[in-house]
Amino acid sequence: MTGHPAERERSPHNLSVKTTLEEEIDRAESILSRVPSVCDDTSSELQRVAALDPHGRNSRNSFQRTGAISRLVSLVVRLREWAHRSLLEEEERPDSFLERFRGPELRIAPSRTSNTQPDANGNTKGIFRKKWELFVVSPADNAYYRWLFVIATAVLYNWFLVVARACFDKLQVGNYICWLVLDYMSDFVYIMDTCVRLRTGFLEQGLLVKDHVKLRDSYIRTLQFKLDVLSILPTDLAYISTGIHTPQLRFNRLLRFPRMFEFFDRTETRTNYPNIFRIGNLVLYILVIIHWNACIYYAISKSLGFGSDTWVFPNISKPEYSSLTRSYVYCLYWSTLTLTTIGEMPAPVRDEEYLFVVFDFLVGVLIFATIVGNVGSMIANMNATRAEFQARIDAIKHYMHFRKVSKELETRVIKWFDYLWTNKKAVDEQEVLKNLPNKLRAEIAINVHLETLKKVRIFQDCEAGLLVELVLKLRPQVFSPGDYICRKGDIGKEMYIIKEGKLAVVADDGVTQYALLTAGSCFGEISILNIKGSKMGNRRTANIRSLGYSDLFCLSKDDLMEAVTEYPDAKTVLEERGREILMKEGLLDENAESCGLQKEDTEEKVERLESSLDTLQTRFARLLSEYTHTQLRLKQRITLLERQLNQTDCGADASDDNDADAEIVNDTNCGPVARTDGSPHRNSVQKEERQSPTSKH
């Protein structure tokens, strides 16, 4: 009886606990069943999970009874959010340094209607049809390159095995089901390749053409289209009359070879080892020729009769020559000896055999010349860098020997060259990248030296344009152990940025070290900035020595000033940093700094006046040249007018003389005519005056 009241007292509590557990389970299942979204509010999610255990029970009972499920759910949710946040940071957070330089990337605006959702009627066929209508392959994409690999594999299959099956009957008959499957798989690949070619875009005015009509017309007008059509003609239908053991009907499949050559060309462009690929490509071509020649030799022997003479293939009735492997190896051996012009094979007997051997010898000579030429050029290209570097070393060795340089200095020079070659720093980057535009050159330089440039403080806050200017003007330099990069009191003409290595700021004795400079540090900008009030002027303020081999970037004073002319903020930052360093070292005169401002302003005014004077001189010279040209043209026009006027006067005088002669003729025919003035001799007097017009002058 005493136990029942206790049970009745515990029963409401047990009921409440059961209800709480059920609620926790329901809430946990609802949380875990939710699909994770990018836009989920993580804080509210965690608050809801934390609300499952509002009383904050102790850790001992945290995974027991009521708090166990809430703790597990909280742990799972936090792990999920942490993993999701990490993925977002990796995918959506590019390097800020590169992002500032490159600018925003071009993004394609998403369509308002999803391409994967069905229409109002639930039909998805129209969606796939629209996708196919918009499908265009770009030749620069990786997918197009992978497809070239697939089609090149199909072409190589036909080049090797179709020819071999046509000559070796055992190879065709023994596995004809396998060959049929492979043949029609290659035919399917050929048909798909034709469809891909119809949708392969090309560039017009720098943009990819996506008009299907233009793509189709452009493809149909090419020779490749004709070869593709010939290569997929259904010549296999002749199997109905000849049987399936006539693979000669599939020789038209060999006409798809341009696609294989295109794959080889693109691979040579993409690979980082082009010389090795060229050698492998050459070996492949030689193997194809030797393989074809071996098959032709076996076919000729079969047509003339095996073992009919000493030149043809031996009689296959002999056990040692009856197997397929021995037959092919023997023919391949014969073809190799013949094409390499080694000989040592039985002499031909019949006229057909002589002609075939002569043709093989001619092909072999061409192959041998091709091998020697290509392999020689490839080896020369592979060793071009080493040969050029060795020539530089030999020239310097000859010079040091001629000038009788000390052995110690000669050893240092040789070790310096060895360091360059061992660490692959003998390549002149400016010479290699000179054919690229400035934008690409700067981007390559930033990517190659990213870790160093990110550590330089002057590059972290500078504009993208200034970053391009400075990066393109950096010149790499390598210093040997113990070399002084600069000495205190020297005239400063360059500033340096440490790429790799360690430098020490040492005292005048060269032993005591004041500071250690590592990768990313820059120095020397104080002496090339001409900071106002500097007691050192443009001279170095410290001795800096290389502890080991050090790789530095050098930026000359002229290049720096030319770069920061258009970026006054960056120049101000550099001057402020240099002024802080000078103040710490006590090398800044504040009074001279205030006076130097007026001096600097005066110098700037003088420079501005000089530039204005140069501009005026240029304009005056232009005006003077225009005036001289105009005056010359005016003189030419006046001279031309004078000539035309003289020609007009001469024509008038000639017409007057003609009129006078006509009057004299009339007077002679008619006799003297009485005049009212009583002067019968007037006409004769006028005639005399007109005949001698120059006598009056």
Side-chain angles (χ1 to χ4, degrees):
M1 294 296 294
T2 58
H4 293 289
E7 290 180 359
R8 285 193 298 268
E9 291 176 0
R10 287 196 304 268
S11 59
H13 179 70
N14 291 337
L15 182 61
S16 62
V17 170
K18 182 178 179 180
T19 305
T20 305
L21 286 174
E22 290 178 353
E23 291 178 355
E24 289 179 356
I25 292 173
D26 294 338
R27 292 179 183 179
E29 289 178 352
S30 63
I31 293 174
L32 292 176
S33 62
R34 291 185 59 191
V35 179
S37 175
V38 179
C39 302
D40 284 344
D41 190 357
T42 310
S43 61
S44 61
E45 179 98 11
L46 293 178
Q47 289 175 0
R48 287 194 300 270
V49 175
L52 296 176
D53 189 15
H55 300 290
R57 297 172 178 83
N58 53 20
S59 59
R60 181 177 179 180
N61 298 325
S62 61
F63 287 95
Q64 296 177 2
R65 292 180 295 185
T66 60
I69 297 178
S70 62
R71 296 281 182 174
L72 286 174
V73 171
S74 177
L75 179 62
V76 170
V77 170
R78 292 188 181 187
L79 288 175
R80 187 193 67 182
E81 295 298 334
W82 172 79
H84 184 64
R85 194 181 303 111
S86 301
L87 290 175
L88 287 179
E89 290 179 355
E90 291 180 359
E91 294 179 358
E92 299 180 1
R93 291 187 181 179
D95 193 282
S96 59
F97 193 80
L98 290 177
E99 186 70 17
R100 187 177 73 252
F101 168 71
R102 293 175 179 173
E105 295 183 357
L106 181 63
R107 297 180 183 271
I108 300 175
S111 60
R112 294 184 179 180
T113 59
S114 177
N115 293 330
T116 58
Q117 294 179 357
D119 55 7
N121 298 326
N123 187 14
T124 58
K125 293 183 179 179
I127 297 173
F128 292 109
R129 184 179 301 171
K130 290 181 180 179
K131 284 186 176 182
W132 171 248
E133 291 176 355
L134 298 175
F135 175 72
V136 174
V137 180
S138 174
D141 291 343
N142 291 329
Y144 182 77
Y145 175 73
R146 297 187 186 99
W147 175 253
L148 285 179
F149 171 75
V150 175
I151 186 64
T153 304
V155 173
L156 282 176
Y157 161 76
N158 288 316
W159 270 39
F160 273 97
L161 292 176
V162 171
V163 177
R165 287 158 48 197
C167 298
F168 294 91
D169 296 335
K170 293 183 179 180
L171 181 63
Q172 168 64 24
V173 175
N175 304 290
Y176 68 93
I177 297 178
C178 177
W179 301 134
L180 287 176
V181 174
L182 294 177
D183 286 346
Y184 293 117
M185 287 179 62
S186 67
D187 290 348
F188 176 75
V189 172
Y190 277 23
I191 296 173
M192 290 295 297
D193 182 62
T194 304
C195 298
V196 170
R197 287 299 301 267
L198 286 171
R199 294 300 178 93
T200 301
F202 60 90
L203 296 179
E204 188 177 62
Q205 297 183 358
L207 299 176
L208 184 67
V209 176
K210 297 184 178 181
D211 188 359
H212 295 167
V213 178
K214 286 186 177 181
L215 297 180
R216 182 191 60 197
D217 295 341
S218 175
Y219 174 51
I220 290 175
R221 286 195 297 266
T222 59
L223 176 62
Q224 178 65 42
F225 172 73
K226 301 177 179 62
L227 294 177
D228 291 347
V229 171
L230 292 176
S231 65
I232 59 175
L233 290 178
T235 55
D236 300 26
L237 296 177
Y239 284 166
I240 299 173
S241 60
T242 61
I244 62 175
H245 298 304
T246 54
Q248 297 87 340
L249 298 174
R250 297 183 55 85
F251 278 177
N252 62 325
R253 293 343 185 238
L254 306 179
L255 298 177
R256 195 64 71 115
F257 62 90
R259 300 292 277 172
M260 181 179 64
F261 293 158
E262 182 181 358
F263 171 72
F264 290 157
D265 293 339
R266 291 184 179 272
T267 304
E268 183 178 353
T269 305
R270 288 171 171 249
T271 183
N272 294 327
Y273 306 97
N275 292 315
I276 297 176
F277 178 77
R278 293 187 191 108
I279 293 176
N281 199 9
L282 178 63
V283 171
L284 177 63
Y285 292 154
I286 294 172
L287 289 177
V288 170
I289 295 175
I290 293 175
H291 169 74
W292 282 12
N293 191 59
C295 295
I296 294 172
Y297 168 73
Y298 189 83
I300 293 175
S301 300
K302 181 170 60 175
S303 63
L304 296 178
F306 294 115
S308 59
D309 55 42
T310 57
W311 181 83
V312 298
F313 187 80
N315 195 344
I316 58 175
S317 60
K318 297 180 180 180
E320 61 269 20
Y321 298 108
S322 60
S323 64
L324 175 62
T325 305
R326 184 59 181 272
S327 300
Y328 179 75
V329 171
Y330 181 91
C331 294
L332 191 68
Y333 173 73
W334 183 93
S335 177
T336 304
L337 293 181
T338 304
L339 292 179
T340 55
T341 65
I342 295 176
E344 297 183 2
M345 296 301 295
V349 177
R350 306 178 186 181
D351 295 340
E352 300 88 346
E353 299 171 357
Y354 275 107
L355 292 176
F356 181 69
V357 171
V358 168
F359 178 76
D360 271 7
F361 281 155
L362 293 177
V363 175
V365 170
L366 294 177
I367 291 176
F368 182 76
T370 303
I371 293 174
V372 172
N374 282 275
V375 173
S377 62
M378 290 174 190
I379 293 175
N381 292 332
M382 293 173 64
N383 297 329
T385 306
R386 177 64 183 177
E388 182 182 358
F389 184 75
Q390 191 64 40
R392 290 162 52 189
I393 297 178
D394 294 341
I396 292 178
K397 285 182 180 178
H398 178 72
Y399 175 80
M400 291 189 296
H401 179 72
F402 177 75
R403 295 298 181 183
K404 296 180 174 58
V405 178
S406 63
K407 291 294 183 182
E408 181 182 359
L409 183 57
E410 184 176 354
T411 303
R412 289 179 58 194
V413 171
I414 294 175
K415 288 183 178 180
W416 183 79
F417 274 107
D418 289 339
Y419 171 79
L420 290 182
W421 181 257
T422 304
N423 293 273
K424 299 180 181 180
K425 299 177 181 179
V427 179
D428 188 359
E429 297 180 359
Q430 301 294 333
E431 185 68 20
V432 173
L433 303 177
K434 67 179 181 180
N435 295 324
L436 294 177
N438 291 339
K439 181 70 174 179
L440 287 179
R441 288 172 56 192
E443 190 167 353
I444 289 176
I446 289 176
N447 278 273
V448 172
H449 311 299
L450 178 62
E451 296 300 326
T452 301
L453 298 178
K454 288 169 69 173
K455 298 177 183 177
V456 181
R457 193 173 68 178
I458 62 174
F459 288 162
Q460 292 177 356
D461 301 326
C462 70
E463 301 179 22
L466 178 61
L467 183 62
V468 173
E469 293 288 338
L470 294 178
V471 168
L472 291 178
K473 297 178 185 300
L474 293 176
R475 292 180 289 106
Q477 291 185 358
V478 179
F479 291 90
S480 301
D483 289 347
Y484 277 93
I485 288 82
C486 61
R487 292 179 180 270
K488 187 176 182 180
D490 292 345
I491 302 297
K493 297 181 180 179
E494 302 94 4
M495 67 171 292
Y496 297 93
I497 300 172
I498 303 176
K499 176 188 176 184
E500 184 180 353
K502 293 183 179 180
L503 305 179
V505 181
V506 298
D508 295 336
D509 57 2
V511 179
T512 306
Q513 295 186 8
Y514 295 137
L516 186 65
L517 304 178
T518 57
S521 302
C522 61
F523 60 92
E525 70 275 13
I526 299 176
S527 58
I528 66 175
L529 287 176
N530 292 328
I531 298 176
K532 307 163 191 176
S534 175
K535 296 180 181 180
M536 298 297 296
N538 61 344
R539 297 183 178 273
R540 302 292 188 187
T541 59
N543 301 314
I544 299 181
R545 189 174 186 178
S546 176
L547 299 179
Y549 286 101
S550 303
D551 297 346
L552 308 180
F553 287 126
C554 175
L555 183 64
S556 65
K557 179 179 180 180
D558 296 335
D559 291 340
L560 178 62
M561 291 303 162
E562 181 182 356
V564 300
T565 301
E566 304 296 334
Y567 301 94
D569 295 338
K571 185 177 181 180
T572 303
V573 171
L574 289 175
E575 290 179 350
E576 289 296 333
R577 182 190 174 203
R579 193 174 289 108
E580 292 176 0
I581 296 175
L582 291 176
M583 290 181 64
K584 290 180 181 179
E585 297 180 358
L587 298 176
L588 183 64
D589 189 355
E590 297 181 359
N591 296 327
E593 181 182 1
S594 60
C595 297
L597 181 63
Q598 298 178 357
K599 181 180 179 181
E600 184 69 22
D601 292 341
T602 305
E603 291 179 355
E604 291 179 357
K605 290 180 181 179
V606 171
E607 291 179 357
R608 187 164 56 255
L609 289 175
E610 289 179 353
S611 62
S612 301
L613 182 60
D614 293 338
T615 304
L616 291 176
Q617 288 179 351
T618 304
R619 293 180 178 178
F620 177 75
R622 187 183 301 111
L623 291 175
L624 182 61
S625 62
E626 292 178 356
Y627 170 75
T628 305
H629 181 65
T630 305
Q631 188 178 16
L632 180 61
R633 291 183 60 187
L634 184 60
K635 288 181 179 180
Q636 291 176 354
R637 293 184 64 183
I638 293 173
T639 304
L640 181 62
L641 291 174
E642 289 179 351
R643 289 179 181 177
Q644 293 178 357
L645 184 61
N646 291 333
Q647 291 177 0
T648 304
D649 293 341
C650 293
D653 293 339
S655 62
D656 292 342
D657 292 340
N658 293 332
D659 294 340
D661 292 339
E663 291 178 359
I664 292 171
V665 172
N666 293 331
D667 292 343
T668 304
N669 295 330
C670 299
V673 179
R675 296 288 179 181
T676 59
D677 56 356
S679 57
H681 301 287
R682 184 174 180 177
N683 291 334
S684 62
V685 173
Q686 291 177 356
K687 178 181 178 181
E688 291 177 357
E689 290 177 355
R690 290 172 180 173
Q691 286 180 350
S692 59
T694 59
S695 63
K696 296 180 181 181
H697 298 287

